């Protein structure tokens, strides 16, 4: 029917061409607007985005040599900048910090978003960071585990010590208790219950010596007890002080007794008396006197001897 | 004669006056169209890229913010930016991680998120241009095959608590948000865990993806007290492969994504997952993932029940701004 009516065929063709020419106009409009956009992007240094615009224009106008030239020109600019950054990376690979290299690779991708070398390097970097984090976490877990295990071992040691110490105390085995405590304190020197047990053991042993009349041995135990740290010693200190005063007086009397017969012995006794009570003025005066006599006697003896 | 007039009208309509768009150019790499009156970036993305969420990707390559009839739109059909790196920074995808939910505000705790808070968080995503994507879309992004929409976020839920089904799932459905649930079979079917029937119901929903969180939820780092290499490998195999067998038996397919229990990973485990054709594995190290992230040690950010709304907003780490010109 169409071929039989040239007028109608013409009408159809006109409609068709109107449609086509409108499409052509629209393409030209697209070309102009995108060229402007690409130029703006390039001017703003957004080269990869400009490249997409030019590349799409080349796709639409494959025979337009201006566009092809522009695509080549932009590609060369991108290549040259990329190569310059990659060369800088190569140069600084051993000296630069990781985050500096990471930034350079990111700059490569900003120019060429599909660059495999940069993606690979950044992925390795990401993997390294994640691996380090995982290893650090594993090490921390291990450290916490070891600490927990140690704590648990310590708890067990302390529980066992408390039980054993309580048993020895109940049996009044103070020397055994002291040995146990001293061994335990070598490992846990700050353990307060052990320090309390040590004080208690030394106190009981001193009292036992005191009861047996071994006053000096008692004082020795008491003085060791007084050296136990973190304990309130005030009562024992007072008690020990009293005993030492008595001992000082005893030794003073013994010194005075020996004064006439054995001056050396007298000096020893008086020295002991002063050592138990440095405030014993009488003992101190007699010690000076005895020492002077002792020296004179030694001089006389020495002179006679010549 | 009538037929001729009709043909003429068709030409005219197709050339000039359609409400649909007009194609200016089409090739393997690009399509250029003139938008019709009903077109949006999303509708064009759906039509040409098969995913309406990629509307924001089209907007990247076109100067006009809003489309109107006659707007000329460049549609790159292949991903022109496989690394997601731009001159002003680079794209990242935050993967959020939840555990339990409650409908009672007073029962929230660090691991239990109150329904009202969760709804507020999801509403914020919906109303502020965030695109919640299925986790499976992250792998093509990492491979450079498929771009991600701007402000893309993925949602994951660990363990398989029943409260996901009862509290979170209806909220996610309300917003049409995809989520991935990492379950460990030892937890399913007892106590506060989902039943296998519930897991199956969820698996049939295209918005939900069921994946592996090991079999027993034991830490999969080497034992701190030391562990022989073979004993360790066997333990890992049991945790990974047994779960796959169970999932295949229950859901008809193995897992291809893995969430490390407690976020604990090791190189041996990564190798095993690769051997078993897993595509991605997730830690709980917070932060967004760029396209060049390592797929088997992806970052994931925990959302705590007692965290503030501002903290939640800070977790949405979708773009790292940095001048790369």
């Amino acid at each position: 029917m169409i071929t039989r009516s040239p007028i109608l065929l013409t009408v159809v063709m006109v409609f068709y061409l109107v449609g086509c020419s409108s499409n052509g106009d629209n393409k030209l409009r697209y070309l102009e607007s995108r060229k402007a956009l690409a130029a703006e992007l390039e001017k703003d240094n957004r080269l990869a985005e400009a490249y997409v615009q030019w590349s799409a224009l080349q796709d639409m106008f494959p025979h337009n040599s201006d566009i092809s030239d522009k695509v080549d020109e932009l590609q060369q600019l991108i290549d040259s900048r990329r190569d310059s950054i990659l060369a800088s990376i190569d140069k600084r690979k051993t000296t630069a910090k990781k985050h500096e290299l990471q930034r350079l690779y990111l700059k490569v991708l900003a120019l060429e978003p599909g660059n495999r070398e940069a993606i690979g390097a950044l992925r390795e970097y990401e993997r390294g960071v994640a691996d380090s984090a995982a290893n650090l976490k594993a090490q921390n877990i291990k450290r916490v585990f070891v600490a927990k295990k140690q704590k648990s071992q310590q708890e067990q040691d302390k529980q066992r010590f408390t039980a054993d110490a309580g048993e020895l105390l109940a049996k009044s085995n103070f020397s055994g208790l002291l040995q146990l405590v001293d061994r335990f304190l070598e490992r846990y020197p700050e353990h307060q219950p052990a320090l309390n047990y040590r004080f208690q053991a030394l106190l009981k042993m001193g009292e036992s010596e005191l009861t047996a009349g071994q006053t000096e041995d008692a004082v020795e135990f008491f003085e060791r007890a007084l050296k136990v740290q973190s304990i309130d010693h005030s009562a024992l200190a007072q008690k020990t002080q009293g005993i030492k005063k008595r001992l000082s007086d005893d030794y003073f009397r013994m010194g005075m007794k020996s004064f006439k017969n054995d001056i050396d012995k007298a000096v020893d006794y008086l020295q002991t008396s002063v050592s138990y009570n440095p405030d014993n003025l009488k003992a101190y005066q007699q010690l000076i006197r005895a020492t002077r006599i002792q020296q004179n006697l030694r001089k006389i003896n020495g002179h006679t001897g010549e | 004669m009538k037929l001729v007039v009709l043909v003429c009208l068709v030409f005219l309509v197709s050339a000039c006056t359609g409400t649909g768009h007009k194609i200016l150019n089409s090739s393997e790499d690009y399509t250029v169209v003139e938008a019709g009156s009903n077109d949006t970036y999303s509708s064009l993305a759906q039509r040409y890229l098969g995913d309406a969420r990629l509307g924001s990707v089209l907007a990247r390559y076109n100067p006009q913010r809003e489309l109107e009839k006659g707007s000329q739109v460049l549609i790159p059909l292949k991903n022109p930016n496989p690394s997601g790196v731009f001159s002003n920074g680079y794209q990242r995808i935050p993967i959020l991680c939840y555990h339990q939910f409650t409908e009672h505000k007073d029962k929230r705790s660090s691991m239990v998120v109150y329904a009202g808070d969760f709804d507020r968080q999801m509403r914020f995503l919906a109303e502020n241009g965030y695109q919640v994507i299925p986790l499976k879309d992250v792998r093509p992004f990492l491979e450079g095959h498929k771009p991600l929409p701007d402000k893309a976020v993925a949602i994951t839920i660990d363990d398989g608590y029943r409260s996901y089904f009862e509290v979170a799932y209806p909220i996610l459905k309300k917003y049409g948000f995809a989520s991935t649930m990492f379950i460990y079979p030892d937890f399913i079917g007892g106590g506060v865990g989902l039943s296998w029937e519930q897991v199956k119901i969820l698996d049939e929903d295209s918005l939900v993806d069921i994946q592996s969180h090991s079999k027993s939820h034991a830490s999969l780092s080497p034992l701190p007290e030391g562990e022989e290499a073979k004993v360790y490998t066997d333990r890992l195999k049991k945790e990974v492969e047994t779960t796959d067998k169970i999932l295949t038996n229950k859901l008809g397919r193995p897992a291809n994504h893995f969430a490390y229990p407690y976020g604990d990973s090791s190189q041996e485990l990564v190798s095993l997952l690769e051997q078993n054709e897993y595509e991605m594995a997730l830690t709980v190290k917070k932060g967004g993932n760029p396209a060049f992230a390592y797929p088997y040690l992806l970052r994931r950010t925990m959302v705590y029940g007692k965290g503030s709304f501002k903290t939640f907003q800070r977790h949405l780490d979708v773009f790292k701004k940095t001048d790369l010109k």
Side-chain angles (χ1 to χ4, degrees):
Chain A
M1 186 174 74
I2 292 172
T3 51
R4 278 186 287 168
S5 173
I7 298 168
L8 287 180
L9 181 63
T10 308
V11 170
V12 170
M13 289 303 288
V14 165
F15 270 115
Y16 182 74
L17 288 171
V18 165
C20 283
S21 80
S22 153
N23 211 29
D25 287 348
N26 290 343
K27 279 188 170 183
L28 286 176
R29 183 162 66 90
Y30 181 80
L31 173 66
E32 290 312 315
S33 70
R34 293 295 162 145
K35 269 166 75 176
L37 173 64
E40 202 179 306
L41 290 168
E42 196 175 333
K43 195 176 160 195
D44 196 25
N45 251 328
R46 293 157 71 182
L47 301 189
E49 289 163 84
Y51 186 80
V52 171
Q53 298 298 333
W54 281 116
S55 173
L57 283 174
Q58 190 182 36
D59 201 62
M60 190 186 272
F61 302 98
H63 305 298
N64 183 322
S65 59
D66 286 349
I67 295 173
S68 298
D69 288 349
K70 192 63 207 172
V71 170
D72 290 346
E73 190 187 307
L74 189 55
Q75 181 67 65
Q76 278 173 19
L77 179 62
I78 289 172
D79 288 353
S80 130
R81 288 199 186 173
R82 177 205 59 207
D83 291 347
S84 155
I85 299 172
L86 288 175
S88 164
I89 290 172
D90 267 349
K91 210 169 161 186
R92 303 176 59 193
K93 218 159 203 169
T94 51
T95 53
K97 287 180 181 159
K98 273 187 178 174
H99 71 269
E100 290 169 343
L101 293 175
Q102 186 198 26
R103 185 164 180 76
L104 289 171
Y105 279 121
L106 284 169
K107 284 190 162 197
V108 169
L109 289 177
L111 283 167
E112 191 179 59
N115 186 286
R116 288 184 175 280
E117 183 184 342
I119 293 175
L122 287 168
R123 185 159 288 149
E124 268 311 301
Y125 175 82
E126 285 284 311
R127 182 181 185 169
V129 169
D131 268 342
S132 304
N135 289 338
L136 188 67
K137 192 172 178 194
Q139 280 170 14
N140 284 339
I141 291 170
K142 194 168 184 173
R143 200 167 53 236
V144 169
F145 174 83
V146 169
K148 257 188 178 174
K149 206 173 165 187
Q150 271 178 352
K151 198 176 172 190
S152 156
Q153 182 63 49
Q154 286 175 3
E155 286 305 316
Q156 279 180 22
D157 287 353
K158 285 170 187 174
Q159 277 174 14
R160 199 179 310 123
F161 165 77
T162 307
D164 291 351
E167 202 176 318
L168 290 168
L169 193 65
K171 288 179 183 168
S172 300
N173 183 352
F174 303 117
S175 62
L177 177 62
L178 190 61
Q179 279 175 17
L180 176 75
V181 167
D182 285 347
R183 276 199 309 270
F184 186 78
L185 283 171
E186 275 174 25
R187 276 180 294 150
Y188 306 105
E190 313 261 308
H191 189 59
Q192 192 57 46
L195 292 169
N196 293 344
Y197 276 125
R198 186 165 204 275
F199 178 78
Q200 224 171 334
L202 288 165
L203 183 68
K204 293 287 182 189
M205 288 168 85
E207 282 171 354
S208 168
E209 294 293 341
L210 203 60
T211 312
Q214 302 296 323
T215 315
E216 285 173 75
D217 290 343
V219 167
E220 201 180 307
F221 280 120
F222 290 154
E223 288 196 319
R224 281 171 68 190
L226 289 171
K227 284 178 187 162
V228 177
Q229 287 169 359
S230 314
I231 301 277
D232 179 11
H233 304 116
S234 50
L236 178 64
Q238 212 173 350
K239 179 178 178 173
T240 308
Q241 200 57 34
I243 296 170
K244 282 167 80 175
K245 273 185 182 169
R246 282 206 306 277
L247 276 171
S248 178
D249 291 345
D250 289 348
Y251 277 102
F252 173 72
R253 275 194 295 276
M254 284 154 70
M256 295 311 290
K257 211 171 168 182
S258 306
F259 212 105
K260 285 180 183 169
N261 308 323
D262 188 341
I263 193 68
D264 290 338
K265 218 175 204 178
V267 167
D268 282 349
Y269 285 143
L270 289 167
Q271 272 175 342
T272 308
S273 172
V274 170
S275 73
Y276 277 122
N277 182 10
D279 296 334
N280 190 336
L281 196 61
K282 282 191 297 182
Y284 188 67
Q285 287 168 341
Q286 291 306 322
L287 176 61
I288 293 169
R289 193 175 141 233
T291 309
R292 202 179 297 134
I293 292 168
Q294 187 187 42
Q295 283 168 351
N296 288 337
L297 283 173
R298 278 182 184 160
K299 273 183 193 169
I300 294 163
N301 290 340
H303 185 70
T304 311
E306 277 178 13
Chain B
M1 180 65 186
K2 280 180 185 171
L3 181 64
V4 173
V5 172
L6 193 64
V7 170
C8 294
L9 282 172
V10 167
F11 273 122
L12 198 64
V13 165
S14 68
C16 311
T17 60
T19 52
H21 54 268
K22 192 165 73 179
I23 297 171
L24 290 185
N25 187 51
S26 183
S27 73
E28 263 186 31
D29 297 329
Y30 301 101
T31 290
V32 178
V33 301
E34 275 197 356
S37 54
N38 294 331
D39 280 328
T40 60
Y41 282 124
S42 294
S43 70
L44 291 174
Q46 179 63 49
R47 167 78 178 78
Y48 290 97
L49 305 178
D51 188 347
R53 283 174 299 218
L54 295 178
S56 58
V57 174
L58 293 190
R60 284 177 200 161
Y61 300 100
N62 293 283
Q64 61 275 58
R65 281 185 172 276
E66 298 293 334
L67 291 190
E68 53 190 38
K69 189 183 167 194
S71 295
Q72 295 179 319
V73 182
L74 169 63
I75 302 170
L77 301 175
K78 292 176 182 168
N79 184 7
N81 194 323
S83 59
V85 179
F86 303 88
S87 54
N88 63 337
Y90 54 95
Q91 194 178 7
R92 296 203 277 207
I93 162 96
I95 303 172
L96 304 178
C97 173
Y98 293 87
H99 284 79
Q100 270 183 280
F101 302 89
T102 177
E103 281 175 339
H104 308 284
K105 197 170 186 176
D106 57 334
K107 285 189 179 164
R108 71 180 173 169
S109 67
S110 66
M111 302 301 272
V112 183
V113 175
Y114 168 53
D117 292 339
F118 187 62
D119 189 278
R120 188 181 174 201
Q121 291 165 5
M122 296 303 108
R123 192 168 65 244
F124 178 79
L125 296 178
E127 291 175 354
N128 288 278
Y130 289 92
Q131 297 289 333
V132 176
I133 59 153
L135 186 65
K136 67 180 169 59
D137 282 5
V138 174
R139 178 73 196 207
F141 169 65
L142 301 178
E143 287 168 338
H145 294 156
K146 192 181 171 188
L148 282 184
D150 290 350
K151 298 176 89 171
V153 179
I155 295 171
T156 65
I157 296 98
D158 280 4
D159 298 343
Y161 282 95
R162 208 164 52 223
S163 64
Y164 166 74
F165 188 79
E166 292 164 351
V167 181
Y169 176 55
I171 295 171
L172 288 163
K173 266 188 99 72
K174 183 171 85 177
Y175 292 100
F177 287 169
S179 61
T180 296
M181 166 148 255
F182 288 99
I183 60 168
Y184 64 101
D186 287 2
F187 187 57
I188 303 301
V192 291
L194 290 162
S195 67
W196 278 110
E197 285 68 31
Q198 287 169 323
V199 173
K200 280 179 195 164
I201 291 169
L202 291 168
D203 192 52
E204 281 164 13
D205 187 335
S206 61
L207 284 176
V208 181
D209 187 20
I210 304 291
Q211 293 292 343
S212 171
H213 196 26
S214 81
K215 181 180 177 291
S216 70
H217 204 281
S219 166
L220 299 183
S221 287
L223 292 179
E225 64 265 41
E227 192 172 17
E228 261 182 49
K230 172 134 187 9
V231 175
Y232 179 51
T233 312
D234 288 347
R235 184 161 73 88
L236 295 182
K237 275 190 173 178
K238 190 179 165 196
E239 291 288 347
V240 173
E241 293 169 5
T242 309
T243 307
D244 273 341
K245 279 179 194 158
I246 294 169
L247 290 180
T248 304
N249 184 32
K250 299 282 186 185
L251 307 176
R253 56 160 183 85
N256 55 353
H257 305 146
F258 191 86
Y260 300 106
Y262 311 103
D264 295 346
S265 62
S266 70
Q267 287 177 7
E268 292 87 339
L269 180 52
V270 167
S271 301
L272 181 68
L273 293 171
E274 282 182 289
Q275 282 163 29
N276 281 274
E277 296 178 347
Y278 273 74
E279 291 177 358
M280 294 186 290
L282 292 79
T283 67
V284 285
K285 185 175 163 56
K286 75 174 177 183
N289 298 282
F292 44 82
Y294 184 59
Y296 295 95
L297 290 166
L298 291 177
R299 289 187 177 88
R300 202 157 55 126
T301 304
M302 299 264 277
V303 182
Y304 294 107
K306 290 200 167 171
S308 70
F309 191 64
K310 274 197 171 175
T311 305
F312 173 77
Q313 288 172 297
R314 274 200 299 273
H315 290 333
L316 303 171
D317 175 21
V318 291
F319 193 84
K320 170 72 179 173
K321 275 189 186 169
T322 178
D323 184 8
L324 298 172
K325 283 178 190 168

